[in-house]
């Protein structure tokens, strides 16, 4: 259908040119009209080819850039219990400090302290473990591992109190890290190696003495290109000064820390490649079809102009002979 339309338009243009050549009022004007017709017919084809080549280059360049820079997809999953991938664990490195109490509370309510600085109830699931430092393989480390809060709907929190009976340092703090599977730690036959892997994989934080540090946690899962999944903890902390109302002045330090989930949503991050090879192939096919049409159009245009030029020269020769 397209070729028939082009042929029909050529026939119409040929008839118009023949009518003009049959009434030549000005030979120079006729030649100028021929040049104008030639430029108006032939120029669009090369321009179309140039544009199509540029579009091919731009399409391939965009496709390669999308492969190098995938788009990050973030989704959220609401949970009522933080059990996956196996209950959260908190590893404390208290040094010379001693755990006085550990309790689970709900709905953001912590009752007033009773006999602060004195041993209290330890109602948490705890484990003590010694292992060598994974970075030096020489220094021995002591860790107190506690199961973290689970019930996010009831706003479960874990409240811990530590006591340090004097120190020769200017500042006092306790290190801790969060890891994703307390149950896996309990079931592991090599708990020391498990903790060495956790310390190598997760970040550690601190909380200071003389304050109540409130930690609100959030969990981020990242899916890698090979299908594996990594877990990362993010946290927001708020610090409140502890007013020591004990009667006698003391040189010891009290540490208070609270752990709670920030919200019931687990964040999943995944890189998505937006470059679709099928879309690119379809676009390139359309571009190559346009190039083919442009080449075919240019070929027909040249043939048509040669034919018109021959007719014009023949008509001009007849007119000159008649004048002679």
């Amino acid at each position: 259908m397209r070729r028939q339309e082009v042929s029909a338009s050529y026939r119409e243009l040929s008839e118009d040119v023949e009518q003009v050549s049959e009434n030549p009022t000005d030979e120079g004007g006729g030649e100028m009209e021929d040049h104008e017709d030639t430029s108006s017919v032939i120029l669009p084809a090369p321009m179309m080819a140039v544009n199509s080549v540029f579009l091919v280059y731009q399409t391939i360049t965009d496709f390669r850039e999308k492969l190098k820079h995938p788009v990050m997809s973030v989704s959220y999953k609401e949970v009522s219990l933080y059990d996956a991938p196996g209950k959260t664990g908190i590893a404390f490195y208290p040094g010379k400090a001693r755990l006085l109490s550990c309790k689970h509370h709900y709905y953001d309510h912590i009752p007033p302290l009773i006999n602060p600085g004195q041993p209290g109830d330890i109602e948490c699931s705890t484990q003590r473990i010694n292992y060598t430092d994974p970075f030096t393989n020489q220094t021995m480390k002591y860790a107190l591992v506690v199961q973290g809060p689970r019930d996010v709907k009831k706003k479960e929190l874990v409240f811990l109190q530590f006591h340090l009976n004097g120190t020769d340092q200017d500042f006092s703090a306790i290190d801790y890290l969060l890891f994703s599977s307390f149950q896996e730690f309990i079931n592991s036959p090599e708990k020391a190696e498990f903790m060495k892997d956790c310390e190598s994989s997760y970040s550690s934080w601190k909380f200071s003495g003389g304050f109540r540090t409130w930690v609100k946690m959030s969990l981020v899962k990242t899916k890698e290109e090979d299908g594996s999944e990594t877990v990362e903890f993010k946290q927001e902390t708020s610090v409140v000064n502890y007013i020591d109302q004990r009667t006698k002045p003391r040189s010891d330090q009290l540490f208070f820390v609270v752990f709670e989930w920030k919200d019931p949503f687990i964040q999943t991050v995944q890189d998505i490649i937006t470059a679709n090879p099928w879309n690119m192939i379809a676009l390139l096919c359309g571009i190559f079809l346009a190039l083919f049409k442009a080449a075919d159009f240019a070929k027909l245009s040249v043939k048509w102009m040669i034919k018109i030029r021959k007719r014009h020269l023949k008509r001009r020769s007849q007119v000159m002979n008649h004048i002679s």
Side-chain angles (χ1 to χ4, degrees):
M1 290 296 293
R2 178 63 179 172
R3 188 177 296 275
Q4 293 177 358
E5 294 176 359
V6 172
S7 301
S9 62
Y10 285 171
R11 286 196 298 270
E12 293 176 358
L13 290 173
S14 300
E15 292 173 359
D16 293 340
V17 173
E18 289 179 358
Q19 292 176 0
V20 172
S21 60
E22 289 177 357
N23 299 303
T25 57
D26 188 356
E27 295 179 1
E31 292 180 357
M32 185 171 295
E33 289 178 359
D34 288 341
H35 289 298
E36 292 176 355
D37 292 341
T38 303
S39 62
S40 63
V41 173
I42 296 179
L43 281 180
M47 290 300 297
M48 186 182 298
V50 171
N51 292 336
S52 298
V53 171
F54 176 76
L55 188 56
V56 170
Y57 170 78
Q58 190 66 36
T59 301
I60 296 176
T61 302
D62 292 344
F63 182 77
R64 294 179 62 185
E65 286 297 321
K66 289 180 179 179
L67 287 178
K68 293 179 181 178
H69 305 286
V71 177
M72 182 179 293
S73 171
V74 180
S75 60
Y76 294 89
K77 178 183 178 181
E78 186 175 2
V79 296
S80 57
L81 294 175
Y82 272 91
D83 284 337
K87 302 178 183 179
T88 303
I90 309 170
F92 296 95
Y93 301 91
K96 296 181 180 180
R98 183 165 61 103
L99 178 64
L100 295 181
S101 63
C102 179
K103 292 185 178 182
H104 290 258
H105 301 286
Y106 297 89
Y107 300 107
D108 293 338
H109 175 69
I110 300 177
L113 295 174
I114 299 177
N115 297 324
Q118 299 298 320
D121 296 332
I122 299 179
E123 300 174 354
C124 305
S125 177
T126 63
Q127 286 277 330
R128 289 172 171 81
I129 184 71
N130 293 319
Y131 63 94
T132 56
D133 192 311
F135 302 104
T136 63
N137 288 327
Q138 295 178 354
T139 307
M140 289 297 297
K141 304 191 73 172
Y142 159 67
L144 173 65
V145 182
V146 178
Q147 179 179 327
R150 298 176 54 219
D151 197 335
V152 65
K153 290 294 185 181
K154 295 181 180 179
K155 295 185 178 182
E156 179 185 1
L157 56 87
V158 177
F159 178 53
L160 301 99
Q161 179 186 181
F162 291 86
H163 175 260
L164 179 61
N165 193 23
T167 178
D168 55 354
Q169 298 180 354
D170 296 330
F171 303 94
S172 58
I174 294 178
D175 295 338
Y176 69 94
L177 66 81
L178 306 172
F179 62 94
S180 60
S181 181
F182 178 81
Q183 195 63 41
E184 185 177 348
F185 165 75
I186 295 296
N187 298 332
S188 174
E190 297 291 338
K191 291 182 173 58
E193 293 297 324
F194 183 91
M195 289 308 304
K196 289 174 68 175
D197 293 339
C198 287
E199 188 172 352
S200 302
S201 304
Y202 295 99
S203 302
S204 61
W205 294 275
K206 297 177 183 288
F207 61 94
S208 301
F211 298 92
R212 186 194 67 185
T213 303
W214 199 301
V215 180
K216 291 193 175 184
M217 308 174 294
S218 58
L219 188 64
V220 180
K221 296 181 179 180
T222 303
K223 293 184 178 180
E224 306 295 342
E225 295 181 359
D226 58 358
S228 62
E229 188 176 79
T230 60
V231 178
E232 177 187 2
F233 286 91
K234 294 184 178 181
Q235 63 176 19
E236 298 177 2
T237 59
S238 59
V239 179
V240 178
N241 184 39
Y242 167 64
I243 301 176
D244 195 345
Q245 298 180 351
R246 291 178 293 177
T247 56
K248 297 181 180 180
R250 300 174 181 272
S251 60
D252 59 351
Q253 284 280 346
L254 295 179
F255 301 78
F256 305 94
V257 63
V258 181
F259 291 91
E260 180 188 14
W261 288 107
K262 178 184 176 181
D263 51 49
F265 298 101
I266 296 178
Q267 180 178 341
T268 302
V269 179
Q270 182 178 6
D271 289 337
I272 297 179
I273 298 176
T274 58
N276 191 334
W278 294 110
N279 290 344
M280 189 192 73
I281 292 173
L283 182 59
L284 290 178
C285 289
I287 294 172
F288 289 135
L289 180 61
L291 284 173
F292 175 77
K293 292 293 185 180
D296 189 43
F297 184 76
K299 182 179 178 181
L300 293 176
S301 299
V302 171
K303 289 183 178 180
W304 180 75
M305 289 306 300
I306 292 174
K307 184 177 180 180
I308 293 299
R309 185 64 178 171
K310 287 182 179 180
R311 288 184 179 181
H312 173 72
L313 293 176
K314 182 179 180 180
R315 180 67 62 183
R316 184 177 181 183
S317 176
Q318 291 176 353
V319 172
M320 294 300 293
N321 291 335
H322 179 73
I323 294 175
S324 299

